[in-house]
Each structure stands twice: as C-alpha cells, then as structure tokens.
Amino acid sequence: MADEAVAARPAEPAAPKAKEARSPEAPPRGGGRGDDRAKDAPERPDAPEPTDTSDSADDEAGEREKERERAADRFKDRTRDPLTEEEGEEGPTDAAAAARARREGQKLLSSNRDLIGFDRSDIGQVHIGDINVRLDALRSGLLMRDGPVPAEELLRIRRTHIEPDGYVRLRRALEARRLLVLGGAPGTGRASTALALLEEVTRAGEGRENSERVRRADPARGVRELATQVAGGTGGHPRGTGYLLEPALDRPGTLPPDGMDLDQLASALAEQGSYAVVVVSVGSAANPLLAGRYGAICPPAPTRELVAVRLRQRLEEEHGDPVRGGGAGGHGGGDGRGPGGGDGRGPRDGDGSRDAGGGRDRNGGAHRDRGRDEHADRDGGPDGGGDGRRDGDGGRGRDGRAGRDGGRSGDRPGRGAGPDGDGSLSLLLERAAELREDPEVTEAVGLDDLRPAEAELFASLLAGHLRGTVSRAELLSGCRGLAAVQAYEWFAGVDRALAAPPPGDGRTPVRSGTAALFHPVAFRIALAVLGGASHSAVSAAAHLLTWELSVQSDPDSTPARPLFCDDPEADLALSRARPADGVVDVAGSEVTGRLIFYRGSALPAAVLAELWDRHFPVRAPVVRWLRLLADDPRPQVSMRAAVAAGELSVRDFEHGYAELIRPLAEAPTPRRRVFAATALDQAAGHASHRRAVRKVVDNWSLHGTPAQRWTAAMALGYGRCADSMDDTLDTLAEIGVRDDGEQLAVASLNVVRLLTLPECATVLRRLAAWTGHRREEYQDLALVSIVRLALTDVDEVLDDEPGTPLGDRGDWPLLLALAATRPELTGKLADLFWTALNTARSRDVALDALETLLRSASRKDGRAWTREGLAALLPALTAEEQDRRRLDWLLRRMMRDQDRPLAEERARALWRLAVPARQRRSEEEESHG
C-alpha cells in the first residue's frame, strides 16, 4: 500500500467544542494530527510521541503512558460481560438462548385470560346465562357403588353413543375373552364406551331378557372379590350380566391386579356367560394391565364432529323437534352414569368428571333435567368416535335398532329432526358454524380439542347465544372457563386419597404411593411453567417438584423415587400435552430436540392460576422448586421459570415479592438476579402491577444493596420498569456511575438492550450527551455502551420475533443491524463510534470491535452477511482523511494476521464500501484495487 494510506496516531487532542458533546479526550472530527507519513509507522495507528531529552521529561512521559495503559485496562474491564462473573470472563452466557426462552415463555402466558369467569367461592357450580354445570371435587371411583345401570340409561346409550375408532375391535375382544381392560385419560369417555360395549354384548347374550343386565361393581372390592362374587353366584346376579369396574389405582397403597387375578375373573365370567370391562387410567400402575392380553386403549373423540352433533341437538330441541332415535347422538353417553342434560347440567361422574346432563342419584338412578334426556359428562361422552363408523358387521343404527349393515347414518347429526318448514333451523345451523369458527371464540376456548363434557358445554353456549339467552360477553366468559374448569378438576382433592385406608385385599403395598400420586400433578405444573422446552427438561423438573410435594406432604418420610416407572406417553395423555419436533439451544448452537406443549394455549395460565389462587399449602414446595430452576444453567429452563414466577407474583404480589423476587435479587450469583429481574419485568407487563414494580426498582436503584442495584439495572433493560425512557436512562446512569462505576458494566449492557426498542433515538441522544459530560464516569458509561453496541448480537437483546427488520438479522452485531434498518440513525451511530475510536482509553477496544465488524461482512462460505450494514456505516465513519487512514491501517493489519489473515479481495471490497470512488487517490486505488 502507499505510504500515504498508512494511518498514524492523531496528535494529542484539544478539548472538543461543547456542541459536539464528545469526550474531552476525543478530538473533534478534522482535529489536528501528528506526522502520519513516516515510513516506519508502527503496527498500531498511534505513532510514538516526541520525547524530551531530559530525564524528568522521560519520567513524566513514561508516567503518562502508564496512566493511559491503566485507564485502558480499566476501560477494557468495564466492557466485560456482566453475566459471566460466576464462570469467568470467557465463560459463555447463552444470552441469545435466554432471550428466546423468555420470549417463548411470555407467549404461552400472555393471553391475559379471564381465569375467574365463574364463582370461585363455590367451585362446585358454574352458571353462565341459563346454563348450569355442576362439578364434584371427589376423585375417580370414590363415589361409585354396586348397582344396576337403569334400562333407561342403557337405551339412551344405544341411541346417542358415538363409537370411537376401533370400536368393533374392542367389542370382538370383549366377546372373545369375556374381559376387557380399557385404558384412557380421565375425561375422554372411556367409561361411556365401556357401558356401550357391555350394553351391546349383553343384549345379544344370555342376559338379554334381564332389565338389570349391566351393573357397576364397587371399586373398593377390586378384581379378586369381583371374581369370587361372579364364580360363587353371590348377590343374586343372573347369568349374562355385564360388569363395569373402575378400580381406584391412584390411591396410595393400592396395587393393580396381576395377570392371575384377571385370568381368574375371565374364567368366572365365562362360566356364567357374563362380561366385564375394567376401566383404568393410563400410567405406570395400569400399563402392565394394558399391555396384557386383556388390555386396549380407548382413543379420544374428534372435536369438530362432537361439537357439531351436540350443537345440532341443542338447536333441534329449541325448535320443538326432539331427537328421535339418537339423531343428535353425540360423543357422550356420559359414562352412562346418568341422564344427560342438554344444556350441560349435572354432577360429575365417578371418573372425576362432571355429568353435563341431568343428575344421577347415588345408586345410578336417573332423573330428567329441563326435559332433556341426553347425557354427557366430563369423562363422559364416549371417547372416541372419529367418524362414528363401525366395521361392516358391527354397525349399530342410530335409531336404536341393532342394525348390522355397518353403515354410518349419513345424516346422523339430524336424523329424525329435519329443519323447520321455513328453513329457520338451517339458518341457525349456518350461523352456528360461523360462530364456532369465530377467531375470538376460538381464542377464548383456548383448547386444541374438546372432551365430551367440554363439547357439551360449548355447544350449549353457542346455542344459547344464537337463541339470545346468552350474551356475547357471557359466551366468551363461558368459553374461557373451560380451561379453568379443567385445571380445577386436575388439582381438586388430589391428595385426599392419602387419608383413605389401604385396600383390604390382604396384600401389603411395596412402597408409599405419594410420589406416584403427585407425579401427574407435578408434570402438569412443570409443563405450565416450562411449556415449549424439551420433553426431558420438563420431565426432570416434574420429578424435582414431585420430590418437593412429597416431602411437604409427609416430612417424616423419604419419598421413594422409582427410576424405571416413567411413561412419557401416559404423561402426555394425562396432561393433555403434545410433543413436537423443534430446536433447543445448547452452548450457543441450535440442535433438534423433542419439545412438549399443552394442547391448548389456555391451559398454562389456567394451571398456574388454579395452583396459586386455591391451593395455598402447595406454594411453599413450588417456591422451593422455582428457586432450584433459577439455578439451572439451561436458559430454556431458568428463563421460562422466571416468566412463570412473574405471573404467579401478579396473582399475589406480596407473596411473590417476599418469597421469590427479593431473595433472588439479593443472591450472589448473576443467574439468580437475572431470574428476579425477569420476574419483575413480567409483573410490570400487567397494568395493575406496573406502579408497584416501578416503585421497587426505583427504591433498589437509590437505596438498595449492590446486588439489588444490579437486579434493578437488569429489570430496567426490558424497558417497562420506569415511567419513560428518559427516566429509565437516568436511573441506569445513577446505577452505573455510583461507587466509582462498580455497576457500570451491567448498566451499559442494559443501555444497549434499550436500543432495540422504538425509542432508540432517545437513547442515542443521551449517549451523545454523556460523552461530553464533565464526569469521567458518565463518559465511560457512554463509551462502554458504544463499544458493547458493536460487540452485541441482535438476538442477545431483542424481544421481537423473526419477521421484523431487526428480528431477521438476529446474528448481526446490533450496531450494523441498526445502521441497515434505521438509516436516519446512521449518522448518530457513526459519530458515537468515532468518538470511541478517538478516545485514548477506549481506542484499543474500539479498534478490536471495528475489526470484528469488518470480518462479519461475509460468511466463511462467501455468502453476504452484514455487508448491508457496513455499506451504511463505514462511509459515515470514514468521512475524513484521518479516518480513512485508520481504516487502511486496520485492513492491512487484518491481512497480515497470522491466525486469521483477511483475503486481499475481501479487504478491497471493504475499502470500496467505505471510500467512494471520488475520494480514492491514485496510490490507494493501486493498493486497494
């Protein structure tokens, strides 16, 4: 290169003009320079200063040089990453992964749903318009007693039940073996399907003339006692009887029946010409039963068909055309435990489900409710149904006749109930279909698929709105209540079984059942907190919470933790969860992983609200668990937990602040303080708590401990913990300059985070003002922020999703991304970075940052990377001769780098980006092409 293109260090500058607002050390653009044409210019752009021949002058110059070196070292120390204090300066922080995890966690919990849309003081009843749904907190099986299923109920099941997929296979298995173990998640209609199977096989068997041919067996007696009763003919049960048994396997100390027990029962049934269906919940306790020769899974019902059938039924009833022959038969015989109410009224069945129809007395007797005789319960429509078809030899007509043509009634939703003569029913059905697909209604429901009783209630709400008895607000409130009711049912009385006596079958439990009892609950809580994380992370967190819950429940015992009893598929089914392939951040890289989500956006918030608002004793173990998650090195865990902690704090800020936020804000590790700051910001996102959060942050910044000031700075970086951007910057400056800049690193980091917000110009103006401040601490805050701006990638600080101008440049340095996307700010950005380059104590770090920017122009494979941003920034940064010489010197140094030499072609391309053709001298043209 030509000698003229070699930059030398500028002469010692004079103080800048006040209007330029630059650091007193930095020369104004165009300021004086020393002789920069010496052939033996040094590797760095600053030539040696002239020295005095006297010893005193040498000593003075040496002392000045040492002081400059010390100042440069102090400045470099302040540019460290404040989040790496516990790992060391070079330790990774995964800031980009943390930002993504926080953003994803907020999406799952930001629906701002009305989770108290019904009377929480009397959770046993939900009342919306003229729709009344009764609930029962008792667990599965605890209400069931021996007794026959009334003939009226069996007839209704024949008429209204929609078979699940594979129904014919289930029926054939029952006919062949006399015994069927039917598994499914509570609430999916498994017991209704069991009753439908028993009704069909007994109607064609020896007990066809018996009006009490289907009976419920007492779950407390178990399989052994039922086998003894059937074999001995005790109880006066005639031959050909069908038995429905739902053993309470979730009670601590209860052991599932073994294969010999089932064989004994099957033999006794065969001798008596009888049948039995044992209904169990999927899980580790029941899996051996379901994997055996008697086991089968009952699939869930398709939501669209279920709702369509129930909705048509409601509208037909309103038009005085009651369902004939099951024309509006829905997915919901309601476990066959009682007459179904059309508007979703009735007690829950013994499967922990609500009977959405009419009531049922304790002996299974039925009564009518408002003249409606269809039945649907929480567990309680049949589980399945898909398209409601059976195999050719298994179809049953929807008019109640035992037709075997295998065909599905083509107009089953409306068989026997055609539209009115004036077509008003057809119009209502069209309006109902539109209303069902209304985006606001869909968002209010917040569930990917509805279970039988939910479909029943949803159809009743839609029909009521079309009839004018339910307002739009009541419709949306009722829809939002579906997820809240599901959360209530998941948690109500979970550990009541701990007080129940052990089974009296003579067998001794091998271990305490508290861990098995609490694990499904812990998994649902973990999924609400960590939804979208990897399945393994959620499962591990669930086990930690299971331990905490077990210890809290029984502090004198060490809970057993089985190592080989997990069933991921059962966890998904019991928690209404779904897996999905996605990416997981690991050590700064994205790898493919198996993620897990709730099947519905409303469930995470509903679970947390139910947990925090109604179950106060569980707060202590959950708080301990969240503190453990705060220490997790994986951002996908700690940041999601922080967001959830903020949401829980909103529901009770006094408790959340005292137990979570303040203790973690005072912790010695940055990870815990980041957790507290994120929780504070999440609470500040709610208008109801914004003022309180801002008061906390303000008090910490003025009067708090160093750890609290650090936490306050991190909270301010989100942009919601102060009244305005100016107030945010004032507070960050107070934190940064206090105690000789002890917190300057974290303050500068959060100034940079604010540059991703719309008020970016305000931040740049304040930085320019700080560079001209009379106090060196303010100057350093500005200079460190400017250098950090060049070294920070967008996705480390950005909250926006991909698809925005900045979001699409996630791996760009923020300085270049702003220059490319906000051209009106390019001049200010260049001026600030020029100041850092021309200030003695920040020069070396700024030059290193500039080299990093230049190397990011293109990727290793030659594809363009940040070239667009450099094309915008470099011309503004090299507007003067001195600046172009510095760039030339830096490019030559990069080309001579022995570890990472810059290719000559790339150096020429960068030079052309920075220097327009009209400003290039002939010597430079020769050197740079």
Side-chain angles (χ1 to χ4, degrees):
M1 294 185 183
D3 292 336
E4 291 80 1
V6 179
R9 176 181 177 179
E12 194 67 28
K17 298 179 181 178
K19 66 179 181 179
E20 293 175 302
R22 302 188 188 281
S23 169
E25 285 192 28
R29 286 197 169 187
R33 289 186 292 271
D35 183 9
D36 56 14
R37 295 174 179 269
K39 286 192 175 184
D40 296 327
E43 284 285 312
R44 52 182 293 171
D46 38 299
E49 296 180 355
T51 59
D52 198 306
T53 56
S54 66
D55 293 340
S56 60
D58 289 343
D59 293 342
E60 184 178 351
E63 188 62 30
R64 285 199 305 269
E65 183 63 27
K66 290 180 181 179
E67 178 58 32
R68 280 194 293 269
E69 291 176 357
R70 286 193 293 269
D73 289 341
R74 287 195 301 271
F75 184 88
K76 183 177 181 179
D77 184 62
R78 287 171 171 173
T79 61
R80 74 189 189 282
D81 187 346
L83 305 181
T84 61
E85 290 177 344
E86 58 186 357
E87 292 93 2
E89 186 174 351
E90 302 301 325
T93 60
D94 283 340
R100 282 191 289 270
R102 172 178 172 269
R103 184 168 62 240
E104 292 166 1
Q106 285 181 322
K107 285 195 301 183
L108 293 178
L109 296 173
S110 63
S111 56
N112 296 323
R113 303 175 59 83
D114 176 16
L115 297 177
I116 314 178
F118 47 87
D119 184 6
R120 305 289 293 212
S121 63
D122 182 14
I123 196 68
Q125 179 169 306
V126 178
H127 186 83
I128 304 167
D130 66 347
I131 299 167
N132 186 34
V133 180
R134 294 189 56 81
L135 306 174
D136 191 334
L138 297 181
R139 297 288 295 165
S140 170
L142 297 185
L143 270 182
M144 299 303 298
R145 297 291 186 270
D146 277 325
V149 178
E152 178 185 350
E153 190 172 341
L154 296 178
L155 178 60
R156 181 172 51 256
I157 289 175
R158 289 178 57 190
R159 292 176 173 175
T160 64
H161 181 260
I162 296 179
E163 305 90 335
D165 291 336
Y167 181 91
V168 173
R169 175 181 53 80
L170 297 176
R171 177 176 54 77
R172 287 174 176 170
L174 180 58
E175 290 173 337
R177 298 189 178 96
R178 300 283 175 168
L179 175 63
L180 179 67
V181 179
L182 192 62
T188 55
R190 57 207 175 138
S192 294
T193 299
L195 285 175
L197 288 167
L198 290 171
E199 189 280 333
E200 185 170 354
V201 296
T202 57
R203 177 163 41 90
E206 298 181 33
R208 68 177 66 88
E209 303 300 330
N210 180 16
S211 61
E212 297 182 353
R213 65 178 184 271
V214 178
R215 302 183 62 89
R216 296 185 180 90
D218 186 353
R221 296 183 178 177
V223 170
R224 283 188 177 182
E225 289 197 20
L226 179 59
T228 302
Q229 183 182 37
V230 173
T234 58
H237 304 165
R239 292 177 59 85
T241 299
Y243 298 91
L244 171 63
L245 174 64
E246 298 185 58
L249 300 182
D250 58 349
R251 298 173 63 181
T254 300
L255 296 177
D258 54 32
M260 294 184 64
D261 295 332
L262 297 177
D263 289 339
Q264 181 182 0
L265 177 57
S267 177
L269 292 168
E271 291 177 2
Q272 296 294 325
S274 299
Y275 303 88
V277 177
V278 179
V279 174
V280 296
S281 294
V282 292
S284 58
N287 282 350
L289 304 178
L290 297 175
R293 60 179 173 274
Y294 301 106
I297 295 294
C298 189
T303 294
R304 293 184 63 85
E305 179 180 354
L306 197 58
V307 174
V309 167
R310 287 305 191 194
L311 183 57
R312 186 178 186 102
Q313 177 183 355
R314 296 292 171 268
L315 296 176
E316 287 170 343
E317 291 171 353
E318 177 64 19
H319 279 68
D321 195 353
V323 178
R324 296 195 303 270
H331 183 78
D335 284 0
R337 296 177 184 167
D343 61 357
R345 281 176 278 189
R348 266 190 354 174
D349 63 20
D351 195 27
S353 311
R354 70 171 177 270
D355 178 352
R360 171 179 59 80
D361 62 29
R362 299 180 72 87
N363 294 321
H367 66 269
R368 294 188 179 273
D369 183 290
R370 295 173 62 97
R372 298 174 182 174
D373 63 353
E374 298 83 51
H375 177 79
D377 60 4
R378 188 74 180 174
D379 189 14
D383 195 34
D387 56 8
R389 288 174 292 194
R390 296 188 183 181
D391 293 352
D393 62 347
R396 184 172 69 236
R398 286 299 159 205
D399 57 355
R401 294 186 297 269
R404 298 289 175 177
D405 58 358
R408 171 188 176 184
S409 300
D411 58 346
R412 184 177 59 201
R415 176 187 290 247
D420 291 356
D422 59 0
S424 58
L425 178 58
S426 298
L427 294 177
L428 277 177
L429 289 173
E430 292 178 5
R431 290 175 55 199
E434 295 175 359
L435 182 61
R436 186 177 61 187
E437 302 299 330
D438 187 314
E440 190 175 11
V441 173
T442 301
E443 189 277 334
V445 172
L447 300 172
D448 292 352
D449 44 55
L450 298 181
R451 291 180 171 177
E454 293 165 351
E456 178 80 20
L457 178 56
F458 183 47
S460 298
L461 288 168
L462 295 176
H465 182 63
L466 293 174
R467 297 195 306 260
T469 59
V470 175
S471 68
R472 176 85 176 182
E474 289 176 326
L475 169 66
L476 297 178
S477 178
C479 291
R480 294 187 183 103
L482 293 174
V485 171
Q486 173 65 95
Y488 166 77
E489 292 183 350
W490 274 342
F491 290 98
V494 167
D495 54 355
R496 182 177 291 121
L498 289 174
D505 59 4
R507 292 181 298 170
T508 302
V510 295
R511 63 179 178 83
S512 171
T514 54
L517 182 69
F518 286 128
H519 179 71
V521 174
F523 190 88
R524 292 161 188 156
I525 298 172
L527 184 56
V529 171
L530 303 180
S534 65
H535 195 166
S536 61
V538 174
S539 182
H543 279 292
L544 287 177
L545 182 55
T546 300
W547 176 277
E548 294 292 345
L549 294 174
S550 300
V551 171
Q552 185 77 12
S553 177
D554 187 6
D556 296 329
S557 302
T558 301
R561 183 176 181 179
L563 301 180
F564 297 99
C565 292
D566 271 7
D567 184 352
E569 297 305 320
D571 288 340
L572 296 178
L574 293 174
S575 300
R576 300 183 74 162
R578 62 177 176 86
D581 292 332
V583 296
V584 179
D585 291 289
V586 179
S589 301
E590 293 184 349
V591 297
T592 302
R594 187 174 188 255
L595 312 182
I596 183 172
F597 301 85
Y598 268 117
R599 297 184 63 84
S601 60
L603 287 172
V607 166
L608 294 183
E610 172 67 23
L611 178 75
W612 220 240
D613 292 349
R614 293 187 54 81
H615 304 284
F616 297 104
V618 84
R619 288 186 176 186
V622 169
V623 165
R624 293 195 300 268
W625 175 67
L626 287 172
R627 290 179 180 179
L628 290 175
L629 298 187
D631 293 325
D632 196 294
R634 294 167 296 179
Q636 64 163 327
V637 173
S638 59
M639 292 304 290
R640 284 181 168 89
V643 171
E647 287 297 314
L648 294 176
S649 297
V650 168
R651 309 203 71 83
D652 187 346
F653 193 73
E654 176 189 18
H655 186 273
Y657 175 77
E659 299 295 330
L660 277 171
I661 294 176
R662 187 176 63 184
L664 294 179
E666 297 170 348
T669 59
R671 185 175 289 124
R672 283 196 161 200
R673 297 198 295 265
V674 170
F675 185 101
T678 304
L680 271 177
D681 171 74
Q682 187 67 20
H686 295 259
S688 58
H689 289 70
R690 194 166 297 142
R691 182 176 179 181
V693 171
R694 290 174 177 176
K695 183 66 174 176
V696 168
V697 171
D698 189 54
N699 286 338
W700 284 356
S701 63
L702 293 176
H703 312 296
T705 64
Q708 288 176 336
R709 293 198 303 274
W710 194 100
T711 304
M714 288 299 301
L716 288 165
Y718 290 115
R720 297 192 293 194
C721 292
D723 293 334
S724 66
M725 181 59 71
D726 284 328
D727 289 341
T728 300
L729 293 167
D730 287 341
T731 307
L732 283 173
E734 292 171 358
I735 295 172
V737 304
R738 184 172 172 177
D739 299 333
D740 296 326
E742 178 185 0
Q743 307 282 6
L744 192 144
V746 69
S748 66
L749 170 64
N750 289 284
V751 170
V752 172
R753 292 171 64 198
L754 295 173
L755 286 167
T756 63
L757 302 179
E759 302 92 333
C760 177
T762 302
V763 182
L764 294 179
R765 285 195 298 270
R766 184 64 64 90
L767 287 173
W770 287 341
T771 59
H773 201 280
R774 67 177 185 273
R775 290 182 58 184
E776 185 175 303
E777 291 85 356
Y778 281 91
Q779 299 169 20
D780 281 351
L781 177 59
L783 293 171
V784 171
S785 300
I786 295 164
V787 172
R788 198 181 298 281
L789 173 62
L791 297 174
T792 301
D793 287 346
V794 171
D795 57 8
E796 295 181 282
V797 292
L798 184 68
D799 283 337
D800 291 350
E801 291 283 350
T804 62
L806 282 180
D808 288 338
R809 295 169 172 81
D811 60 349
W812 283 36
L814 181 57
L815 176 61
L816 297 182
L818 288 173
T821 60
R822 302 285 297 274
E824 73 279 8
L825 302 178
T826 301
K828 296 178 181 178
L829 293 168
D831 282 350
L832 290 170
F833 197 58
W834 184 91
T835 301
L837 288 168
N838 287 275
T839 302
R841 60 183 179 274
S842 61
R843 181 186 300 117
D844 290 343
V845 178
L847 276 172
D848 291 341
L850 180 58
E851 178 177 342
T852 300
L853 297 179
L854 294 173
R855 290 187 182 278
S856 70
S858 58
R859 304 184 187 274
K860 292 182 179 180
D861 58 5
R863 292 182 295 117
W865 187 2
T866 65
R867 182 182 178 87
E868 179 187 1
L870 288 168
L873 181 68
L874 288 179
L877 192 62
T878 58
E880 301 171 2
E881 180 66 20
Q882 172 194 2
D883 307 321
R884 291 191 290 273
R885 290 179 176 177
R886 175 170 47 227
L887 176 63
D888 175 68
W889 172 86
L890 182 58
L891 290 173
R892 291 182 59 178
R893 188 182 78 171
M894 293 167 63
M895 293 171 64
R896 292 194 298 268
D897 190 316
Q898 294 184 0
D899 296 326
R900 293 192 304 161
L902 182 68
E904 183 176 350
E905 308 83 51
R906 295 181 64 180
R908 289 176 177 175
L910 290 170
W911 178 258
R912 295 192 190 101
L913 284 180
V915 183
R918 63 180 180 276
Q919 296 180 3
R920 302 176 198 151
R921 298 195 302 272
S922 58
E923 296 89 346
E924 293 168 336
E925 283 292 319
E926 181 180 351
S927 298
H928 295 287

